[in-house]
PDB file of all heavy atoms in Angstrom:
ATOM      1  N   GLY V  61       9.006   3.675  17.118  1.00 85.00           N
ATOM      2  CA  GLY V  61       9.464   3.653  15.731  1.00 85.00           C
ATOM      3  C   GLY V  61       8.363   3.707  14.697  1.00 85.00           C
ATOM      4  O   GLY V  61       8.593   3.336  13.532  1.00 85.00           O
ATOM      5  N   CYS V  62       7.167   4.145  15.069  1.00 89.00           N
ATOM      6  CA  CYS V  62       6.046   4.220  14.136  1.00 89.00           C
ATOM      7  C   CYS V  62       5.978   5.602  13.493  1.00 89.00           C
ATOM      8  O   CYS V  62       6.493   6.581  14.027  1.00 89.00           O
ATOM      9  CB  CYS V  62       4.732   3.936  14.864  1.00 89.00           C
ATOM     10  SG  CYS V  62       4.609   2.299  15.602  1.00 89.00           S
ATOM     11  N   ARG V  63       5.325   5.664  12.350  1.00 92.00           N
ATOM     12  CA  ARG V  63       5.062   6.951  11.717  1.00 92.00           C
ATOM     13  C   ARG V  63       3.875   7.602  12.422  1.00 92.00           C
ATOM     14  O   ARG V  63       2.835   6.962  12.623  1.00 92.00           O
ATOM     15  CB  ARG V  63       4.769   6.758  10.227  1.00 92.00           C
ATOM     16  CG  ARG V  63       4.512   8.070   9.484  1.00 92.00           C
ATOM     17  CD  ARG V  63       4.306   7.822   8.007  1.00 92.00           C
ATOM     18  NE  ARG V  63       5.546   7.407   7.384  1.00 92.00           N
ATOM     19  CZ  ARG V  63       6.468   8.244   6.905  1.00 92.00           C
ATOM     20  NH1 ARG V  63       6.276   9.563   7.003  1.00 92.00           N
ATOM     21  NH2 ARG V  63       7.561   7.788   6.349  1.00 92.00           N
ATOM     22  N   ILE V  64       4.020   8.860  12.787  1.00 93.00           N
ATOM     23  CA  ILE V  64       2.981   9.573  13.521  1.00 93.00           C
ATOM     24  C   ILE V  64       2.020  10.250  12.544  1.00 93.00           C
ATOM     25  O   ILE V  64       2.442  10.932  11.606  1.00 93.00           O
ATOM     26  CB  ILE V  64       3.592  10.643  14.450  1.00 93.00           C
ATOM     27  CG1 ILE V  64       4.553   9.986  15.449  1.00 93.00           C
ATOM     28  CG2 ILE V  64       2.490  11.398  15.187  1.00 93.00           C
ATOM     29  CD1 ILE V  64       3.896   9.030  16.397  1.00 93.00           C
ATOM     30  N   LEU V  65       0.724  10.039  12.769  1.00 95.00           N
ATOM     31  CA  LEU V  65      -0.327  10.724  12.011  1.00 95.00           C
ATOM     32  C   LEU V  65      -1.107  11.595  12.996  1.00 95.00           C
ATOM     33  O   LEU V  65      -2.034  11.122  13.658  1.00 95.00           O
ATOM     34  CB  LEU V  65      -1.251   9.711  11.330  1.00 95.00           C
ATOM     35  CG  LEU V  65      -2.473  10.280  10.591  1.00 95.00           C
ATOM     36  CD1 LEU V  65      -2.048  11.245   9.494  1.00 95.00           C
ATOM     37  CD2 LEU V  65      -3.320   9.144  10.020  1.00 95.00           C
ATOM     38  N   PRO V  66      -0.731  12.871  13.141  1.00 94.00           N
ATOM     39  CA  PRO V  66      -1.475  13.748  14.057  1.00 94.00           C
ATOM     40  C   PRO V  66      -2.899  13.928  13.556  1.00 94.00           C
ATOM     41  O   PRO V  66      -3.162  13.852  12.345  1.00 94.00           O
ATOM     42  CB  PRO V  66      -0.699  15.074  13.994  1.00 94.00           C
ATOM     43  CG  PRO V  66       0.600  14.749  13.330  1.00 94.00           C
ATOM     44  CD  PRO V  66       0.351  13.580  12.456  1.00 94.00           C
ATOM     45  N   ASN V  67      -3.833  14.189  14.467  1.00 94.00           N
ATOM     46  CA  ASN V  67      -5.199  14.438  14.034  1.00 94.00           C
ATOM     47  C   ASN V  67      -5.760  15.702  14.679  1.00 94.00           C
ATOM     48  O   ASN V  67      -5.218  16.218  15.651  1.00 94.00           O
ATOM     49  CB  ASN V  67      -6.099  13.228  14.304  1.00 94.00           C
ATOM     50  CG  ASN V  67      -6.307  12.941  15.775  1.00 94.00           C
ATOM     51  OD1 ASN V  67      -6.675  13.823  16.544  1.00 94.00           O
ATOM     52  ND2 ASN V  67      -6.084  11.699  16.179  1.00 94.00           N
ATOM     53  N   THR V  68      -6.851  16.172  14.094  1.00 94.00           N
ATOM     54  CA  THR V  68      -7.503  17.384  14.585  1.00 94.00           C
ATOM     55  C   THR V  68      -8.769  17.027  15.355  1.00 94.00           C
ATOM     56  O   THR V  68      -9.792  17.698  15.228  1.00 94.00           O
ATOM     57  CB  THR V  68      -7.841  18.344  13.425  1.00 94.00           C
ATOM     58  OG1 THR V  68      -8.760  17.711  12.526  1.00 94.00           O
ATOM     59  CG2 THR V  68      -6.581  18.734  12.669  1.00 94.00           C
ATOM     60  N   ALA V  69      -8.716  15.966  16.126  1.00 91.00           N
ATOM     61  CA  ALA V  69      -9.878  15.503  16.883  1.00 91.00           C
ATOM     62  C   ALA V  69     -10.437  16.622  17.755  1.00 91.00           C
ATOM     63  O   ALA V  69      -9.686  17.379  18.376  1.00 91.00           O
ATOM     64  CB  ALA V  69      -9.495  14.315  17.759  1.00 91.00           C
ATOM     65  N   GLY V  70     -11.771  16.708  17.783  1.00 89.00           N
ATOM     66  CA  GLY V  70     -12.426  17.696  18.617  1.00 89.00           C
ATOM     67  C   GLY V  70     -12.646  19.041  17.963  1.00 89.00           C
ATOM     68  O   GLY V  70     -13.236  19.934  18.575  1.00 89.00           O
ATOM     69  N   CYS V  71     -12.203  19.205  16.726  1.00 92.00           N
ATOM     70  CA  CYS V  71     -12.389  20.484  16.031  1.00 92.00           C
ATOM     71  C   CYS V  71     -13.762  20.536  15.368  1.00 92.00           C
ATOM     72  O   CYS V  71     -14.205  19.562  14.761  1.00 92.00           O
ATOM     73  CB  CYS V  71     -11.301  20.687  14.987  1.00 92.00           C
ATOM     74  SG  CYS V  71      -9.647  20.902  15.696  1.00 92.00           S
ATOM     75  N   HIS V  72     -14.418  21.703  15.449  1.00 93.00           N
ATOM     76  CA  HIS V  72     -15.772  21.848  14.917  1.00 93.00           C
ATOM     77  C   HIS V  72     -15.887  22.954  13.878  1.00 93.00           C
ATOM     78  O   HIS V  72     -16.995  23.275  13.447  1.00 93.00           O
ATOM     79  CB  HIS V  72     -16.754  22.131  16.064  1.00 93.00           C
ATOM     80  CG  HIS V  72     -16.951  20.966  16.983  1.00 93.00           C
ATOM     81  ND1 HIS V  72     -18.038  20.120  16.911  1.00 93.00           N
ATOM     82  CD2 HIS V  72     -16.179  20.479  17.996  1.00 93.00           C
ATOM     83  CE1 HIS V  72     -17.952  19.192  17.827  1.00 93.00           C
ATOM     84  NE2 HIS V  72     -16.821  19.385  18.511  1.00 93.00           N
ATOM     85  N   SER V  73     -14.770  23.543  13.473  1.00 95.00           N
ATOM     86  CA  SER V  73     -14.819  24.591  12.461  1.00 95.00           C
ATOM     87  C   SER V  73     -13.568  24.518  11.599  1.00 95.00           C
ATOM     88  O   SER V  73     -12.560  23.904  11.980  1.00 95.00           O
ATOM     89  CB  SER V  73     -14.911  25.975  13.116  1.00 95.00           C
ATOM     90  OG  SER V  73     -13.688  26.309  13.762  1.00 95.00           O
ATOM     91  N   VAL V  74     -13.646  25.153  10.440  1.00 96.00           N
ATOM     92  CA  VAL V  74     -12.502  25.168   9.537  1.00 96.00           C
ATOM     93  C   VAL V  74     -11.304  25.822  10.207  1.00 96.00           C
ATOM     94  O   VAL V  74     -10.199  25.283  10.193  1.00 96.00           O
ATOM     95  CB  VAL V  74     -12.869  25.917   8.236  1.00 96.00           C
ATOM     96  CG1 VAL V  74     -11.629  26.088   7.360  1.00 96.00           C
ATOM     97  CG2 VAL V  74     -13.958  25.169   7.480  1.00 96.00           C
ATOM     98  N   GLN V  75     -11.504  26.980  10.804  1.00 95.00           N
ATOM     99  CA  GLN V  75     -10.396  27.704  11.416  1.00 95.00           C
ATOM    100  C   GLN V  75      -9.746  26.915  12.537  1.00 95.00           C
ATOM    101  O   GLN V  75      -8.515  26.866  12.667  1.00 95.00           O
ATOM    102  CB  GLN V  75     -10.880  29.058  11.945  1.00 95.00           C
ATOM    103  CG  GLN V  75      -9.759  29.945  12.481  1.00 95.00           C
ATOM    104  CD  GLN V  75      -8.694  30.223  11.434  1.00 95.00           C
ATOM    105  OE1 GLN V  75      -8.991  30.670  10.334  1.00 95.00           O
ATOM    106  NE2 GLN V  75      -7.434  29.939  11.766  1.00 95.00           N
ATOM    107  N   GLU V  76     -10.574  26.282  13.356  1.00 94.00           N
ATOM    108  CA  GLU V  76     -10.047  25.492  14.465  1.00 94.00           C
ATOM    109  C   GLU V  76      -9.213  24.324  13.952  1.00 94.00           C
ATOM    110  O   GLU V  76      -8.124  24.036  14.467  1.00 94.00           O
ATOM    111  CB  GLU V  76     -11.201  24.980  15.327  1.00 94.00           C
ATOM    112  CG  GLU V  76     -10.762  24.305  16.620  1.00 94.00           C
ATOM    113  CD  GLU V  76     -11.936  23.837  17.460  1.00 94.00           C
ATOM    114  OE1 GLU V  76     -13.080  23.803  16.943  1.00 94.00           O
ATOM    115  OE2 GLU V  76     -11.704  23.497  18.632  1.00 94.00           O
ATOM    116  N   ALA V  77      -9.707  23.651  12.911  1.00 95.00           N
ATOM    117  CA  ALA V  77      -8.987  22.509  12.358  1.00 95.00           C
ATOM    118  C   ALA V  77      -7.684  22.931  11.700  1.00 95.00           C
ATOM    119  O   ALA V  77      -6.642  22.280  11.869  1.00 95.00           O
ATOM    120  CB  ALA V  77      -9.877  21.771  11.357  1.00 95.00           C
ATOM    121  N   VAL V  78      -7.717  24.018  10.960  1.00 96.00           N
ATOM    122  CA  VAL V  78      -6.515  24.493  10.272  1.00 96.00           C
ATOM    123  C   VAL V  78      -5.454  24.933  11.286  1.00 96.00           C
ATOM    124  O   VAL V  78      -4.268  24.609  11.152  1.00 96.00           O
ATOM    125  CB  VAL V  78      -6.869  25.650   9.313  1.00 96.00           C
ATOM    126  CG1 VAL V  78      -5.608  26.331   8.801  1.00 96.00           C
ATOM    127  CG2 VAL V  78      -7.698  25.121   8.145  1.00 96.00           C
ATOM    128  N   THR V  79      -5.880  25.641  12.316  1.00 95.00           N
ATOM    129  CA  THR V  79      -4.938  26.084  13.350  1.00 95.00           C
ATOM    130  C   THR V  79      -4.319  24.890  14.064  1.00 95.00           C
ATOM    131  O   THR V  79      -3.100  24.840  14.301  1.00 95.00           O
ATOM    132  CB  THR V  79      -5.652  26.987  14.375  1.00 95.00           C
ATOM    133  OG1 THR V  79      -6.168  28.142  13.714  1.00 95.00           O
ATOM    134  CG2 THR V  79      -4.692  27.425  15.468  1.00 95.00           C
ATOM    135  N   THR V  80      -5.143  23.906  14.403  1.00 95.00           N
ATOM    136  CA  THR V  80      -4.644  22.705  15.081  1.00 95.00           C
ATOM    137  C   THR V  80      -3.661  21.953  14.199  1.00 95.00           C
ATOM    138  O   THR V  80      -2.638  21.442  14.670  1.00 95.00           O
ATOM    139  CB  THR V  80      -5.818  21.794  15.469  1.00 95.00           C
ATOM    140  OG1 THR V  80      -6.710  22.499  16.328  1.00 95.00           O
ATOM    141  CG2 THR V  80      -5.329  20.541  16.187  1.00 95.00           C
ATOM    142  N   ALA V  81      -3.958  21.874  12.900  1.00 95.00           N
ATOM    143  CA  ALA V  81      -3.066  21.185  11.968  1.00 95.00           C
ATOM    144  C   ALA V  81      -1.697  21.853  11.913  1.00 95.00           C
ATOM    145  O   ALA V  81      -0.661  21.177  11.899  1.00 95.00           O
ATOM    146  CB  ALA V  81      -3.700  21.149  10.582  1.00 95.00           C
TER     147      ALA V  81
END
Side-chain angles (χ1 to χ4, degrees):
C62 298
R63 181 177 290 273
I64 301 296
L65 175 59
N67 67 52
T68 62
C71 293
H72 291 260
S73 70
V74 173
Q75 186 58 53
E76 188 179 13
V78 169
T79 299
T80 301

